[in-house]
């Protein structure tokens, strides 16, 4: 995937962030045009609108379908905006391409189904259009990358991804947990792949959009896709997470875009300290695993089970409390300890019978 080309529509420019904005759903021609005009007046260059809306249960608003393409075409003619929509089936792809849609994206529920992604990929074969792939609903990086590869294998080269957060059973202020480590790892593996953030779907509430957008910029994301509606409180879908074009413009003006290069001497010194600390951490972890193997041998000699649940719970409680006293997050420390414990158990289980 090293030859992926950045998504650059003519006229969008290259300065971060690239912004795609528009309503969750195209509802009426008047709503689409009003939103498009306001976005164009604020300097936005790409209009998004959902035409086909997958709903959890039947009976809800599932989008206006193909008749909305004409509304997007008119918005493009009158404002000069590029137009984008989500596709979930080969029929959607054909209708969108026939209607002159400039950019397509694949939604989270579709990304979760490799068969559906492959059908879309086959419909795109031989075409030249930018495609963005949202992360799957579940926190599965390989599934996300697999969807991108399916599209790439058809010859599409203007590819990017959208981070829209992940479903989680954990209580959170977010509609979908950001789990920033997953898009960060994707960026590490595929640094040339443009990454957009969808703060609307992550937050689920309009007051969370701006702070999430700033976090995405702080992490070096390339762009934003923001649900924007001329009258958000009257939206037919996801009204709580949509903002007005004026609010979007205000948010963009207030974003802080940090330089990605040009480290100072002081920063280099601090990074050197981090390197030394990391070296010590690796050495300590190796030493800890040596002790874990000794414990495993002792348990085997005395016919004791490897897993000591009470001891593990006591360790978790004590160390997470200690971490909190030292100013660290309890859940962060719990995650670290769980990984260490899993490796310790593996080391003990896989001890050779005789050494």
């Amino acid at each position: 995937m090293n030859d992926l080309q950045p998504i650059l529509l003519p006229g969008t420019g290259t300065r971060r962030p690239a912004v795609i904005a528009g309503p969750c759903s195209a509802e009426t021609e008047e709503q689409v045009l009003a939103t498009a005009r306001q976005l164009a007046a604020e300097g936005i260059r790409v209009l998004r609108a959902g035409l086909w809306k997958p709903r959890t249960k039947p009976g809800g608003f599932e989008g206006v379908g193909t008749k909305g393409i004409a509304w997007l075409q008119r918005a493009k003619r009158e404002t000069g905006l590029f137009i984008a929509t989500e596709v979930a089936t080969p029929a959607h792809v054909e209708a969108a391409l026939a209607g002159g849609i400039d950019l397509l994206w694949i939604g989270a529920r579709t990304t979760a189904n490799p068969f559906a992604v492959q059908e879309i990929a086959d419909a795109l074969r031989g075409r030249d259009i930018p495609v963005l792939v949202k992360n799957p609903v579940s926190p599965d990086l390989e599934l996300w990358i697999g969807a991108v590869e399916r599209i790439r294998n058809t010859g599409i080269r203007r590819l990017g991804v959208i981070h829209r957060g992940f479903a989680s059973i954990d209580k959170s202020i977010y509609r979908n947990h950001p789990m920033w480590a997953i898009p960060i790892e994707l960026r590490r593996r595929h640094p040339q792949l443009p990454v957009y953030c969808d703060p609307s779907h992550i937050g689920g509430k309009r007051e969370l959009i701006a702070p999430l957008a700033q976090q995405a910029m702080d992490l070096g994301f390339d762009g934003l896709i923001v649900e924007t509606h001329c009258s958000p409180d009257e939206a037919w879908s996801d009204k709580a997470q949509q903002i007005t074009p004026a609010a979007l413009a205000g948010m963009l003006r207030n974003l802080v875009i940090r330089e990605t290069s040009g480290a100072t001497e002081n920063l280099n010194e601090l990074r050197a300290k981090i390197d030394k600390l990391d070296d010590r951490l690796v050495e300590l972890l190796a030493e800890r695993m040596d002790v874990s193997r000794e414990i495993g041998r002792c348990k085997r000699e005395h016919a004791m089970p490897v897993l000591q649940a009470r001891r593990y719970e006591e360790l978790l409680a004590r160390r997470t409390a200690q971490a909190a006293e030292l100013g660290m997050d309890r859940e962060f420390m719990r995650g670290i300890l769980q990984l260490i414990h899993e490796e310790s158990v593996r080391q003990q289980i896989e001890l050779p019978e005789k050494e």
Side-chain angles (χ1 to χ4, degrees), residues 14-44:
T14 60
R15 188 175 186 278
R16 186 165 59 95
V19 179
I20 301 169
C24 171
S25 305
E27 300 161 358
T28 66
E29 185 171 20
E30 293 73 17
Q31 169 247 11
V32 169
L33 291 172
T35 304
R37 290 164 183 154
Q38 292 176 35
L39 287 170
E42 298 291 357
I44 302 302

Side-chain angles (χ1 to χ4, degrees), residues 98-151:
I101 300 296
D102 297 298
L103 181 149
L104 305 177
W105 78 84
I106 298 172
R109 301 184 191 208
T110 307
T111 303
N113 184 342
F115 291 111
V117 175
Q118 188 59 55
E119 289 178 353
I120 292 172
D122 292 340
L124 287 167
R125 191 175 301 278
R127 313 298 183 98
D128 179 22
I129 186 171
V131 178
L132 298 173
V133 181
K134 283 195 172 186
N135 63 258
V137 175
S138 61
D140 189 334
L141 176 58
E142 300 306 326
L143 191 59
W144 194 5
I145 293 175
V148 173
E149 291 177 344
R150 288 178 187 276
I151 302 301

Side-chain angles (χ1 to χ4, degrees), residues 88-308:
T89 70
H92 295 168
V93 172
E94 293 301 329
L97 293 176
I101 300 296
D102 297 298
L103 181 149
L104 305 177
W105 78 84
I106 298 172
R109 301 184 191 208
T110 307
T111 303
N113 184 342
F115 291 111
V117 175
Q118 188 59 55
E119 289 178 353
I120 292 172
D122 292 340
L124 287 167
R125 191 175 301 278
R127 313 298 183 98
D128 179 22
I129 186 171
V131 178
L132 298 173
V133 181
K134 283 195 172 186
N135 63 258
V137 175
S138 61
D140 189 334
L141 176 58
E142 300 306 326
L143 191 59
W144 194 5
I145 293 175
V148 173
E149 291 177 344
R150 288 178 187 276
I151 302 301
R152 179 185 180 275
N153 288 344
T154 69
I156 295 290
R157 285 296 177 268
R158 286 183 290 170
L159 269 172
V161 297
I162 301 172
H163 171 228
R164 50 80 74 193
F166 303 89
S168 173
I169 61 173
D170 297 331
K171 291 184 178 180
S172 170
I173 63 172
Y174 303 112
R175 177 181 178 183
N176 294 288
H177 199 290
M179 299 186 189
W180 297 108
I182 295 176
I184 288 172
E185 174 61 14
L186 184 144
R187 168 59 61 83
R188 185 190 71 79
R189 295 196 202 178
H190 304 290
Q192 293 181 327
L193 191 64
V195 182
Y196 285 67
C197 179
D198 179 351
S200 305
H201 277 90
I202 294 176
K205 300 175 183 176
R206 60 181 62 115
E207 60 268 24
L208 295 176
I209 293 175
L212 284 165
Q214 183 61 63
Q215 290 177 50
M217 293 302 98
D218 291 345
L219 292 171
F221 281 32
D222 301 285
L224 300 169
I225 179 166
V226 184
E227 291 194 342
T228 312
H229 193 292
C230 56
S231 300
D233 291 331
E234 299 174 10
W236 296 2
S237 60
D238 287 346
K239 64 175 65 177
Q241 66 188 42
Q242 300 194 62
I243 59 177
T244 64
L248 173 67
M251 181 191 79
L252 295 175
R253 284 193 296 270
N254 290 324
L255 280 181
V256 178
I257 309 300
R258 308 182 194 284
E259 295 295 332
T260 58
S261 60
T264 64
E265 182 177 347
N266 184 51
L267 181 58
N268 288 330
E269 291 176 359
L270 292 172
R271 285 173 172 168
K273 289 183 179 180
I274 287 289
D275 289 341
K276 290 181 180 179
L277 289 169
D278 286 345
D279 288 341
R280 287 168 55 190
L281 281 173
V282 172
E283 292 169 0
L284 286 170
L285 286 171
E287 186 176 340
R288 192 187 192 285
M289 292 306 155
D290 287 341
V291 176
S292 291
R293 286 189 289 272
E294 288 298 322
I295 290 174
R297 295 184 186 97
C298 183
K299 289 176 179 176
R300 181 172 292 177
E301 289 173 6
H302 294 84
M304 297 172 62
V306 168
L307 182 60
Q308 304 284 316

